[in-house]
Amino acid sequence: MLAMFIGIVNLEQPLSVQGYYAVTALFLTMSSFVLQKTVRDNKEDSEMYAEPDTHE
């Protein structure tokens, strides 16, 4: 991620293009964390509300 931002800073494009890439990279990073948290929470919920196995 650091390399991506170094590349954006060194990019020879107008500031508006660099800003667009930087904001897009931040949104991508944020959405990755949100997706990971959602998957983890769903797994924990399914484990918490799973019916116990009563077959003996």
Side-chain angles (χ1 to χ4, degrees):
M1 190 163 145
L2 179 63
M4 180 173 49
F5 283 110
I6 290 172
I8 291 172
V9 168
N10 291 328
L11 186 64
E12 294 180 5
Q13 292 291 323
L15 188 58
S16 60
V17 173
Q18 290 179 342
Y20 175 79
Y21 287 152
V23 168
T24 303
L26 289 174
F27 280 138
L28 177 64
T29 305
M30 183 180 66
S31 66
S32 298
F33 283 114
V34 169
L35 177 63
Q36 183 271 336
K37 183 182 182 317
T38 302
V39 169
R40 185 194 67 210
D41 289 348
N42 286 341
K43 183 177 183 301
E44 288 177 355
D45 285 346
S46 66
E47 291 172 355
M48 182 181 300
Y49 295 114
E51 294 183 19
D53 189 15
T54 58
H55 301 286
E56 294 180 5

